[in-house]
Amino acid sequence: MSSLDGSTGPLQGLVRPAPAPAEETRRQDRAEQTARPRRRRKNWGGWLFAAPAALMYAVFVLRPLAASIQYSFYDWDGITVATFVGLENYVRVFTDPQLLSSIWHAFFLIIFFTVIPVSVALLVAGLIRELRSKGLGKLAQTLLFIPYVIPAAAAAIAWSWMYATTGAVNQLLSVVGLESLTRAWFGDFTWALPAVGLIGTWINLGFCTILLMSGIGKIDVSLYEAAKLDGAGFFQTFRAITLPGLRQEIGVCVTITVIAALASFDIVFMATQGGPGYSTMVPGVQVYQLGFTESRIGLASALALVLSALVLAVVLPLQRLFREK
């Protein structure tokens, strides 16, 4: 005689009863209750690992930021009793010609810190790829990256010597017959800011070149081979394959160098300290002078916060522009 499920044998006719729905529900509830503490332990473990970094960030970033916001509404010299002035410091930032000129100088430096280094780095990276010589490529990468390794303050001091009246720059101009162009570069009201900007170009060029060369390495080689078979030249291949493939890397270069231009301090401070006059003054150096030299803590805090807002206003759209589609 066969069992109800069609089986035969000594246990025929015996059928294992199906578990009741209520019993199955209880099993699932017990399993979920057992899994919840494990998930909680994992979450707490992650927070414990992040706690030291979060504490340092709160102490050295969030707390000074909150203090700067508070100070920006006061007229305070850092010693005597502060006087509440409301938005007066912010109005001063946007109406004082000297403070506005420092902000304009920071935006002008974007040409030398971002536009020139990224443009030249794109061409250099494309040319190094075309040469296909590993030895030459490694040598070029090393020579170009050295300026980025050197501290910016040390680079500014070295360039100050080269920009001197008897420095290497003027001597080179004299040798090639351009003696009429020689000048005391950091003492010239017209050329001091571009001269400072070229130091930023020299420093950022190597970083941008290395990053873009690494990006070229991830582009499918078959695309270049297909372009070559179609008879495409260097500039056609560069425009159709290299540029689109380096979208993210270009975005990183632009973002980092724009922040370096707007928040520049060490190069300008060590090279000119904002002189001659205020021709090379930038917000970073202006904040330092207002806060530590003139003891105008409230105005320095307001200018620092305005600079932070400007950096975010420039960088966030750039992030969206270069985001991978």
Side-chain angles (χ1 to χ4, degrees):
M1 182 178 180
S2 62
S3 62
L4 294 178
D5 62 353
S7 63
T8 59
L11 298 180
Q12 63 182 354
L14 297 179
V15 180
R16 179 177 296 175
E23 181 181 353
E24 184 67 26
T25 302
R26 285 194 296 272
R27 288 180 182 176
Q28 293 177 356
D29 292 341
R30 284 195 297 270
E32 290 179 1
Q33 291 173 1
T34 304
R36 282 196 200 106
R38 293 176 181 173
R39 287 197 295 267
R40 290 196 191 100
R41 286 196 294 271
K42 290 180 180 179
N43 292 338
W44 279 110
W47 279 110
L48 288 174
F49 279 111
L55 178 63
M56 299 294 286
Y57 185 81
V59 171
F60 293 103
V61 177
L62 297 182
R63 184 178 177 277
L65 177 61
S68 297
I69 295 174
Q70 179 186 0
Y71 296 156
S72 67
F73 297 107
Y74 289 84
D75 181 11
W76 186 43
D77 61 2
I79 300 175
T80 60
V81 178
T83 303
F84 182 78
V85 294
L87 298 175
E88 183 179 327
N89 288 322
Y90 291 97
V91 174
R92 179 73 180 274
V93 169
F94 290 106
T95 56
D96 190 310
Q98 179 181 322
L99 300 180
L100 285 176
S101 67
S102 70
I103 296 174
W104 156 246
H105 293 158
F107 278 95
F108 179 78
L109 287 178
I110 291 177
I111 298 174
F112 295 92
F113 279 65
T114 302
V115 177
I116 297 176
V118 174
S119 302
V120 176
L122 280 168
L123 293 176
V124 171
L127 288 172
I128 291 177
R129 187 210 162 269
E130 287 293 318
L131 293 176
R132 296 180 182 178
S133 172
K134 292 185 177 180
L136 182 60
K138 293 293 182 182
L139 178 61
Q141 291 180 43
T142 303
L143 293 176
L144 289 170
F145 197 68
I146 285 176
Y148 193 75
V149 177
I150 299 173
I157 294 173
W159 276 88
S160 298
W161 296 338
M162 290 190 289
Y163 276 133
T165 307
T166 57
V169 174
N170 285 334
Q171 291 183 16
L172 180 61
L173 290 174
S174 300
V175 168
V176 297
L178 298 176
E179 189 172 354
S180 60
L181 298 179
T182 60
R183 67 193 72 237
W185 294 93
F186 285 161
D188 190 296
F189 283 82
T190 303
W191 292 98
L193 188 60
V196 170
L198 286 176
I199 302 176
T201 301
W202 182 72
I203 292 175
N204 291 326
L205 177 60
F207 165 74
C208 294
T209 302
I210 299 300
L211 183 60
L212 294 175
M213 287 184 65
S214 65
I216 289 178
K218 75 174 186 180
I219 299 176
D220 192 353
V221 180
S222 61
L223 296 175
Y224 288 102
E225 294 176 350
K228 186 177 180 180
L229 291 175
D230 290 339
F234 170 77
F235 288 104
Q236 292 175 316
T237 304
F238 181 80
R239 179 176 55 84
I241 299 175
T242 304
L243 277 180
L246 293 177
R247 185 185 186 90
Q248 289 183 319
E249 287 75 14
I250 295 174
V252 173
C253 287
V254 169
T255 301
I256 292 177
T257 54
V258 164
I259 294 174
L262 296 179
S264 57
F265 172 80
D266 42 10
I267 294 177
V268 178
F269 185 79
M270 297 303 298
T272 64
Q273 295 189 2
Y278 291 96
S279 60
T280 61
M281 183 62 70
V282 291
V285 178
Q286 186 74 78
V287 169
Y288 173 83
Q289 290 189 354
L290 289 172
F292 294 97
T293 304
E294 303 178 19
S295 297
R296 302 166 71 180
I297 307 299
L299 185 58
S301 299
L303 179 58
L305 291 172
V306 169
L307 175 62
S308 301
L310 288 174
V311 170
L312 291 176
V314 173
V315 168
L316 292 180
L318 288 175
Q319 292 288 303
R320 295 178 61 87
L321 177 64
F322 290 102
R323 187 176 298 169
E324 189 75 23
K325 294 183 179 180

